[in-house]
């Protein structure tokens, strides 16, 4: 992984990612000679000499003008080709300024991002990477992926996850960084690396690591002997469970767990190294079903499907059971016939073969000669007598122990030859065949010569014939017995497979065996040397283990040797024992941890200066603050101090509230102790002025010894309340005592609102109610009208007029013939009514008769007019009929001729109209477009 130039990096063993370091850490990691020689002209090797590029770079066109320090970000600047000295000097100066500015900006960004950015490694542990919110988000996302992986299984089991415990642990380990370690290279297995999974123990290994392991294992096993070196195909074992795989099973492709997809993509919403499809592997033990989970690591869970199966003995009715737990017992007696053919099984319903019969019975031996009590489970037994039966030859008896069936044939009845096999004989089995006397000539053990002895019984002797033999390496030849191997004394000068040592084996046949010396090279742990036989290539990781302890030493974690430098200390439940670094006698109680203790959060409680209170703030003896760095002269200079340093800050001013009254004693408010003293409450003063009527409107201020002269002078007019009804202000300035009587005239209207009156204000305000009413009256008749419509007879008065009208009014009968006079108020109160007499009734009767006569005459006149109009209409109609009859007789002949074609024309018109109506109905009522 390529890292940016301005960033100091620290590579973590077993990881390809880089961790950013602050400037202080980067400077601390520099060698001592570089830390002392920082700055212009301060190097140990040449004082006052500027850094120059190498001679080759300066001679090559386009070479960098001045290569900057790799940690300062100046590696990408190039200068122009070599020019005369003045132009080159100006160009170098401008480049120097650009580099200086870019370096300052890069350093500033580095300092700011060191305390704000988080690690970019997505495989950091949740314990040290991110906050609680980020940890919850990762756990939530991991839970969604696990739920989607197990959904198909849990749907079959109704939410029961008891069968997913083992598989779920494998899936969780894949997500957790550091939980899976390649046992070959002892490095963490990351989600973006190609891996191979063992089919037996389900451990994950890097593809390159397992390929090298397979090659080395086959090589070491096949090179044990010289004869079959590199000739046989030997299996290679799994590094963990030692399950054997043939050489053809050496992984050469990166596939998902279920083997369906090659090179599965790194999807953040899938299980690492998974294709995301259904596993579909055959379940074990084989039940005919396949795995329902999504592509997953580890073993497949038990089959969750429901099947209907009978009990193990087959007597009970089938019941629905889980396929993975379908074997069940009905607890009835088995009753199956045992192999003894005499008894039945008495055990409850069970699976598999019944146990051997535990009873004892009298059993005959195989040959049937003897009887004995034997367990029913082993009815076949042999007695210790020879068979003794006569063989088929009739000359010998069977020498086999007690057996069943027919006896074997006579061993001498087959074709018989002499010991060397050259001469065949037909002698009976009772006579012995003698040697033929000829040369034996059977091939000896050397495979090149034959036996030179006469025909004899037994094995031939060792070949002692002298032959010229070539040594194993092929350099020398010599006469020696055939049965002996010829090895010369020359040593092989070839290099063995380790490519480090010579063979040095006597008379080597060019297939040098593996090196048998100890490797002795320092392992990657830097603590031990390789104990294996000398080999080619890199050594295997150190087999030793190292204990990594926490700070207090209570918790221990065993890790492979060499990983203790990059392994985080184990979590410890003990309390931290580090002494306090501040003024407190002890630290806050927290668990044992690696690295510096967290900042002290106890209250400071140091006495504050100038008061008796103590500092309530959190401890501030060691606070990380930005250091005041000086301006650097150039890119060759490094900051002399780290960007942030720990300093003790002074206690803040005392903020304890002290009840204090303001200057005018309007309120008592809490005032911080460091600002203790009377204050202005920003309210008006409120003290009475010399006038005795107003108060001081100045902001709250001090008054020495109650001296009111320090308040403002009243400049307002008199604002004392006037007598009731007086609208005029007092003409005097603000004064003490009563105001003088008001002498102004008041203009007002009378009670009837017609006349305008002028009354002295003092008389009006000091008068009683009766006098005020008289002063406000114009003494004229009231112009208001009563509800009856007549004018009020009283003089100008206030309020509503009395409804007692005494004016005379006339009241008539309904026919308006009789009238009488009554007072207005009486006529309204008593509702006086004048009734009609007999004369009024006779007059009304005559008027109604006259009206009826007039209505009857009008109806008769209207009926006469209608009759006249009807007779005139009938007369006009008779004249028109006579005229039409004459015309019809004249045109009768012509109408008879044209009646035929008129009927045809009418038929055509009716047909065309029907077709048009049908078309219109189709377009209007038919289906839309």
């Amino acid at each position: 992984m390529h890292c940016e130039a301005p960033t100091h990096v620290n590579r973590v063993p077993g990881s390809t990612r880089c961790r950013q370091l602050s400037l202080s850490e980067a400077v601390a990691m520099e060698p001592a000679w570089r830390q002392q020689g920082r700055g212009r002209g301060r190097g140990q090797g040449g004082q006052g000499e500027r850094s120059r590029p190498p001679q080759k770079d300066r001679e090559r066109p386009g070479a960098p003008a001045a290569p900057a320090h790799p940690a300062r970000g100046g590696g990408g600047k190039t200068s122009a080709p070599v020019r005369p000295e003045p132009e080159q000097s100006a160009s170098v100066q401008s480049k120097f300024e650009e580099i200086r500015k870019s370096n300052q900006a890069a350093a500033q960004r580095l300092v700011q991002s060191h305390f704000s950015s988080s690690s970019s490694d997505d495989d950091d542990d949740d314990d040290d990477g991110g906050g609680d919110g980020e940890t919850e988000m990762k756990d939530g996302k991991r839970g969604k992926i696990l739920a989607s992986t197990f959904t198909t299984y849990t749907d079959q089991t109704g939410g029961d996850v008891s069968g997913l415990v083992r598989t779920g642990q494998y899936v969780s380990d894949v997500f957790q960084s550091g939980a899976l370690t390649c046992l070959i290279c002892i490095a963490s297995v990351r989600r973006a690396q190609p891996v191979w999974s063992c089919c037996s123990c389900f451990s994950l290994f890097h593809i390159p690591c397992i390929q090298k392991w397979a090659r080395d294992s086959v090589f070491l096993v096949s090179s044990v002997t010289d004869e079959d070196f590199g000739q046989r195909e030997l299996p290679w074992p799994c590094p963990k469970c030692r399950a054997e795989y043939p050489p053809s099973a050496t992984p050469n492709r990166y596939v998902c767990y279920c083997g369906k997809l090659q090179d599965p993509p790194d999807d953040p919403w899938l299980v690492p190294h998974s294709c995301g499809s259904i596993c579909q592997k055959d379940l074990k033990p084989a039940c005919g079903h396949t795995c329902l989970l999504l592509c997953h690591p580890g073993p497949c869970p038990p089959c969750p499907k429901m099947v209907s199966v009978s009990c193990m003995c087959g007597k009970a009715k089938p019941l629905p059971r889980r396929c993975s737990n379908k074997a069940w017992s009905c607890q009835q007696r088995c009753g199956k016939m045992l192999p003894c053919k005499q008894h039945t099984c008495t055990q409850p319903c069970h699976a598999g073969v019944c146990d051997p019969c535990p009873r004892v019975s009298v059993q005959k031996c195989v040959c049937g000669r003897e009887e004995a009590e034997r367990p029913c489970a082993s009815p076949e037994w042999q007695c210790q007598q020879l068979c003794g039966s006569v063989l088929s030859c009739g000359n010998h008896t069977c020498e086999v122990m007690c057996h069943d069936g027919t006896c074997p044939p006579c061993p001498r009845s087959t074709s018989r030859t002499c010991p060397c096999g050259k001469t065949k004989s037909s002698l009976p089995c009772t006579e012995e065949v003698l040697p033929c006397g000829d040369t034996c000539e059977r091939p000896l053990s050397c495979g090149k010569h034959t036996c030179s002895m006469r025909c004899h019984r037994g094995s031939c002797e060792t070949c002692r014939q002298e032959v010229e033999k070539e040594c194993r390496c092929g350099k020398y030849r010599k006469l020696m017995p055939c049965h002996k191997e010829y090895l010369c004394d020359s040593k092989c000068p070839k290099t063995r497979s380790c490519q480090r040592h010579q063979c040095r084996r006597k008379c080597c046949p060019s297939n040098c065996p593996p090196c048998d010396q100890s490797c002795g090279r320092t392992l990657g742990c830097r603590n031990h040397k390789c104990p294996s036989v000398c080999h080619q290539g890199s050594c295997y990781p150190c087999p030793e283990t190292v204990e990594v302890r926490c700070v207090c030493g209570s918790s221990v974690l065993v890790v492979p040797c060499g990983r203790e430098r990059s392994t985080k200390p184990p979590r410890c439940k003990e309390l931290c024992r580090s002494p306090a670094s501040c003024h407190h006698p002890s630290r806050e109680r927290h668990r044992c941890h690696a690295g510096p203790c967290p900042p002290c959060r106890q209250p400071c409680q140091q006495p504050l200066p100038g008061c008796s209170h103590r500092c309530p703030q959190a401890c501030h003896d060691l606070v990380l603050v930005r250091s005041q760095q000086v301006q650097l002269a150039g890119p060759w200079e490094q900051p002399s101090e780290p960007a942030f340093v720990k300093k003790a800050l002074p206690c803040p001013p005392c903020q304890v509230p002290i009840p204090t009254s303001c200057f005018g004693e309007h309120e008592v408010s809490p005032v911080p102790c460091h600002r203790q003293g009377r204050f202005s409450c920003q309210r008006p003063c409120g003290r009475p002025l010399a006038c005795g009527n107003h108060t001081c409107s100045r902001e709250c201020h001090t008054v020495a010894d109650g001296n009111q002269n320090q308040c403002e002078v009243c400049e307002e007019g008199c604002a004392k309340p006037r007598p009731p009804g007086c609208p005029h202000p007092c003409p005097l300035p603000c004064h003490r005592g009563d105001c003088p009587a008001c002498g102004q005239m008041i203009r007002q209207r009378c009670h009837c609102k017609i006349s305008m009156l002028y009354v002295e204000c003092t008389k009006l305000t000091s008068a009683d109610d009766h006098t005020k009413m008289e002063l406000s009256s114009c003494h004229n008749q009231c112009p208001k009208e009563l509800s009856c419509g007549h004018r009020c007879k009283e003089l100008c008065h206030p309020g509503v007029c009395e409804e007692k009208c005494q004016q005379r009014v006339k009241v008539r009968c309904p026919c308006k013939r009789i009238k009488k006079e009554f007072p207005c108020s009486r006529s309204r109160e008593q509702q006086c009514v004048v009734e009609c007499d007999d004369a009024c009734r006779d007059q009304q009767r005559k008027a109604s008769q006259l009206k009826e006569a007039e209505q009857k005459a009008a109806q008769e006149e209207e009926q006469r007019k209608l009759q006249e109009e009807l007779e005139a209409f009938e007369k006009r109609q008779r004249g028109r009929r006579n005229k039409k009859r004459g015309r019809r007789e004249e045109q009768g002949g012509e109408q008879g001729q044209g009646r035929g074609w008129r009927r045809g024309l009418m038929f055509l018109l009716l047909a065309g109209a029907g077709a048009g109506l049908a078309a219109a109905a189709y377009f209007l009522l038919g289906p839309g477009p």
Side-chain angles (χ1 to χ4, degrees):
M1 178 178 177
H2 177 68
C3 299
E4 296 294 335
T7 307
H8 292 278
V9 297
N10 181 23
R11 295 212 177 253
V12 181
S15 174
T16 58
R17 291 173 172 83
C18 300
R19 180 175 66 88
Q20 290 190 354
L21 302 179
S22 63
L23 285 176
S24 59
E25 293 177 346
V27 171
M29 292 177 62
E30 298 272 349
W33 63 271
R34 295 199 64 177
Q35 295 181 9
Q36 297 175 1
R38 297 188 181 275
R40 186 173 182 179
R42 289 183 290 175
Q44 295 180 358
Q47 298 181 356
E49 181 180 352
R50 298 183 181 180
S51 61
R52 297 187 178 91
Q55 186 66 23
K56 295 181 180 180
D57 294 343
R58 289 192 288 111
E59 293 177 358
R60 185 176 67 252
H69 192 274
R72 301 293 293 170
K77 304 294 182 179
T78 58
S79 64
V82 179
R83 295 180 179 178
E85 187 65 27
E87 297 181 2
Q88 185 178 5
S89 176
S91 175
V92 170
Q93 184 65 23
S94 62
K95 294 294 183 182
F96 170 75
E97 292 297 331
E98 293 179 5
I99 294 173
R100 185 178 64 84
K101 293 179 181 179
S102 64
N103 289 341
Q104 290 179 355
Q108 188 69 16
R109 288 195 302 270
L110 178 64
V111 172
Q112 293 177 357
S113 63
H114 174 65
F115 293 93
S116 61
S117 62
S118 61
S119 176
S120 61
D121 191 355
D122 58 349
D123 291 330
D124 287 346
D125 291 338
D126 293 341
D127 299 337
D128 299 323
D132 296 339
E134 184 179 352
T135 303
E136 293 178 1
M137 182 179 69
K138 289 183 178 179
D139 293 342
K141 177 180 177 182
R142 184 182 305 173
K144 291 181 181 179
I145 298 174
L146 292 177
S148 63
T149 305
F150 300 150
T151 298
T152 312
Y153 185 91
T154 54
D155 290 346
Q156 297 280 343
T157 60
D160 184 13
V161 294
S162 58
L164 296 173
V165 176
R166 187 181 177 193
T167 306
Q169 183 63 37
Y170 278 92
V171 179
S172 299
D173 291 346
V174 172
F175 282 103
Q176 185 177 359
S177 175
L180 295 181
T181 303
C182 178
L183 299 180
I184 300 175
C185 64
I186 317 300
S188 298
V189 178
R190 303 190 180 276
R191 63 183 305 154
Q193 296 174 337
V195 296
W196 173 81
S197 176
C198 177
C199 299
S200 177
C201 63
F202 308 103
S203 299
L204 290 181
F205 305 93
H206 298 122
I207 288 284
C209 296
I210 197 65
Q211 289 175 345
K212 184 177 183 300
W213 172 274
R215 290 194 302 268
D216 293 351
S217 300
V218 173
F219 175 79
L220 292 175
V221 173
S222 62
S223 61
V224 173
T225 58
D226 296 341
E227 288 76 9
D228 57 354
F229 178 71
Q231 297 179 2
R232 291 189 302 168
E233 290 188 358
L234 301 174
W236 54 274
C238 170
K240 182 178 181 180
C241 64
R242 315 309 294 180
E244 293 187 348
Y245 293 89
S248 59
T250 302
N252 55 6
R253 296 182 305 146
Y254 171 41
V255 294
C256 62
Y257 299 111
C258 62
K260 298 178 182 176
L261 180 63
Q262 183 176 354
D263 298 328
D266 184 13
D267 192 339
W269 287 101
L270 293 177
V271 178
H273 318 295
S274 169
C275 64
S277 60
I278 299 179
C279 179
Q280 292 185 344
K281 289 183 180 178
D282 292 335
L283 297 177
K284 295 180 180 180
C287 62
H289 301 127
T290 57
C291 181
L292 300 177
L293 302 184
L294 299 185
C295 183
H296 62 91
C300 296
C303 184
K305 291 187 176 296
M306 299 294 294
V307 293
S308 180
V309 292
S310 180
C311 64
M312 290 180 284
C313 67
K315 296 180 180 179
K317 294 182 179 180
L319 295 178
R321 303 275 295 182
R322 293 280 179 203
C323 184
S324 58
N325 191 23
K326 59 185 177 182
W328 64 283
S329 174
C330 63
Q331 299 302 323
Q332 298 182 16
R333 185 174 180 179
C334 177
K336 291 181 181 179
M337 183 61 68
L338 295 177
C340 65
K341 305 300 181 180
Q342 298 180 9
H343 308 102
T344 57
C345 181
T346 59
Q347 294 183 354
C349 176
H350 61 88
V353 182
C354 299
D355 293 339
C357 183
R359 300 185 181 184
V360 178
S361 61
V362 178
Q363 302 285 347
K364 289 185 178 181
C365 65
V366 174
C367 63
R369 294 181 181 178
E370 295 183 4
E371 292 183 354
E373 289 188 352
R374 301 277 302 175
C376 288
S378 55
E380 294 184 359
W381 62 284
Q382 292 177 336
C383 61
Q384 299 299 321
Q385 300 181 13
L386 296 177
C387 179
S389 300
V390 179
L391 297 179
S392 59
C393 63
N395 299 321
H396 300 93
T397 59
C398 180
E399 298 179 356
V400 181
M401 298 294 290
C402 176
H403 66 88
D404 58 346
T406 58
C407 296
C410 180
R412 296 185 178 185
S413 63
T414 58
S415 60
R416 309 181 67 190
T417 60
C418 64
C420 67
K422 293 180 179 180
T423 303
K424 292 184 179 182
S425 175
S426 59
L427 295 175
C429 61
T430 56
E431 297 182 8
E432 190 73 23
V433 179
L434 300 175
C436 64
D438 196 0
T439 306
C440 180
E441 293 186 353
R442 284 184 289 181
L444 298 177
S445 58
C446 64
K448 299 178 180 180
H449 305 99
T450 58
C451 181
S452 58
M453 296 175 62
R454 291 184 179 277
C455 180
H456 59 88
R457 301 182 186 277
S459 60
C460 300
E461 62 179 5
T462 304
C463 182
R464 301 182 181 278
Q465 186 175 353
E466 288 193 358
V467 294
E468 185 179 6
K469 278 193 171 186
E470 186 178 12
C471 65
R472 188 167 56 182
C473 63
K475 292 183 179 179
Y476 305 99
R477 304 179 72 87
K478 182 180 180 182
L479 289 173
M480 59 185 312
C482 181
H483 70 279
K484 292 184 178 180
E485 184 181 6
Y486 176 35
L487 299 177
C488 65
D489 294 335
S490 61
K491 296 182 179 181
C492 180
K494 294 182 180 180
T495 306
R496 295 195 178 187
S497 58
C498 64
Q499 302 297 324
R500 295 174 59 192
H501 304 99
Q502 288 184 341
C503 179
R504 307 301 294 171
R505 186 174 64 159
K506 289 184 178 181
C507 196
C508 181
S510 297
N511 56 345
C512 302
C515 185
D516 55 356
Q517 299 186 28
S518 177
C519 177
R521 287 183 287 184
T522 303
L523 298 177
C525 65
R526 306 300 181 197
N527 299 326
H528 304 93
K529 293 186 177 181
C530 181
S532 303
V533 178
C534 187
H535 56 86
Q536 186 178 3
S538 58
C539 301
Y540 284 109
C542 181
E544 302 293 333
T545 57
V546 180
E547 292 184 351
V548 177
R549 296 181 176 272
C550 63
V551 177
C552 66
S554 301
S555 300
V556 181
L557 179 65
V558 179
V559 298
C561 182
R563 296 199 67 183
E564 68 274 6
R565 303 181 186 90
S566 60
T567 302
K568 298 176 182 178
R571 284 186 176 184
C572 182
K573 296 184 179 179
E574 300 293 332
L575 296 178
C576 180
R577 304 172 185 174
S578 300
S581 58
C582 57
H583 67 277
H584 291 100
S586 61
R587 292 186 183 271
E588 292 180 301
R589 293 170 60 88
H590 60 279
R591 289 185 178 181
C592 178
H593 59 89
C597 292
C600 181
R601 292 177 293 182
Q602 303 180 63
C604 179
Q605 294 299 322
Q606 287 188 339
L608 296 173
C611 64
S612 60
H613 302 112
R614 294 182 177 273
C615 179
Q617 300 294 329
C619 181
H620 45 79
D621 286 352
L622 295 175
V623 180
L624 198 65
V625 297
R626 189 185 297 273
S627 63
Q628 299 293 334
Q629 296 183 359
V630 298
Q631 186 70 22
L632 301 179
W636 54 84
E637 285 202 51
Q638 297 291 334
S640 57
E641 295 182 358
F644 291 87
V645 295
K646 290 185 177 181
K647 292 183 179 180
L649 299 181
C651 294
C654 183
Q655 301 291 335
V656 177
I658 304 297
T660 308
S661 61
C662 63
F663 294 130
E665 297 184 354
H666 303 109
E667 65 178 20
V668 177
S669 299
V671 178
C673 183
H674 73 281
R675 291 194 293 109
Q676 185 178 3
R678 305 187 72 178
F679 63 96
S680 174
C681 64
Q682 308 296 327
R683 299 179 183 176
C685 175
R687 293 185 178 90
L689 298 179
C691 64
N693 301 323
H694 300 94
T695 56
C696 180
S697 60
R698 286 179 55 191
E699 185 180 329
C700 181
H701 60 90
T702 58
V703 176
D705 299 331
N707 187 3
Q708 303 293 337
N709 295 331
Q710 296 181 1
C711 295
E712 63 183 357
V713 179
C714 181
E715 297 179 354
E716 298 183 6
C718 181
K720 290 184 178 180
R722 304 298 290 164
C726 178
H728 309 104
C730 179
L732 300 178
C734 188
H735 60 87
R736 293 179 179 272
D738 298 333
C739 297
C742 181
Q744 298 187 27
M745 301 297 290
I746 296 178
R747 180 184 176 185
Q748 64 178 6
R749 291 188 179 272
C750 63
H751 298 303
C752 57
K753 307 300 180 183
I754 295 177
S755 301
M756 189 68 68
L757 304 178
Y758 292 89
V759 185
E760 190 176 357
C761 182
T762 303
K763 293 181 179 181
L764 187 63
T765 56
S766 61
D768 55 2
D769 294 340
H770 180 70
T771 305
K772 286 182 180 180
M773 186 172 57
E774 290 182 353
L775 291 175
S776 300
S777 176
C778 62
H779 301 287
N780 295 324
Q781 184 182 355
C782 181
K784 298 177 183 178
E785 290 185 357
L786 300 177
S787 59
C788 62
H790 302 114
R791 183 177 176 181
C792 181
K793 299 298 184 179
E794 296 182 2
L795 298 179
C796 178
H797 62 86
V800 182
C801 300
E802 294 185 7
E803 296 292 336
K804 293 182 180 181
C805 183
Q806 300 299 327
Q807 189 171 349
R808 307 286 295 185
V809 294
K810 295 179 179 180
V811 180
R812 296 179 180 270
C813 67
C815 65
K816 307 297 182 182
R817 191 181 69 83
I818 303 175
K819 64 179 179 178
K820 293 182 180 181
E821 290 185 356
F822 297 97
C824 180
S825 59
R826 180 184 174 188
S827 64
R828 287 184 298 163
E829 294 176 357
Q830 299 181 2
Q831 295 181 358
C832 299
V833 179
V834 179
E835 297 181 354
C836 295
D837 53 2
D838 295 337
C840 293
R841 296 187 188 96
D842 293 340
Q843 188 178 355
Q844 291 176 359
R845 191 182 305 111
K846 291 178 181 179
S848 60
Q849 291 177 358
L850 180 61
K851 189 174 180 180
E852 290 177 358
E854 289 177 355
Q855 290 179 353
K856 184 175 182 182
Q859 291 178 357
E860 292 177 353
E861 182 65 23
E862 185 179 359
Q863 187 71 22
R864 185 183 61 79
K865 289 181 181 181
L866 291 174
Q867 185 66 27
E868 290 178 355
E869 290 178 359
L870 180 60
E871 292 176 356
F873 177 74
E874 290 179 351
K875 185 178 181 180
R876 287 194 299 271
Q877 290 293 331
R878 284 194 297 270
R880 291 178 182 175
R881 290 173 185 169
N882 294 334
K883 290 180 182 180
K884 288 182 180 180
R885 188 178 300 163
R887 292 176 184 175
R888 196 177 294 127
E889 290 176 356
E890 293 177 359
Q891 297 175 358
E894 297 177 359
Q895 290 179 354
Q897 297 176 359
R899 189 173 300 169
W901 68 268
R902 287 179 181 174
R903 290 180 179 176
L905 181 61
M906 183 62 67
F907 178 76
L908 293 175
L909 291 175
L910 290 175
L917 290 174
Y922 175 77
F923 283 106
L924 292 175
L925 303 178

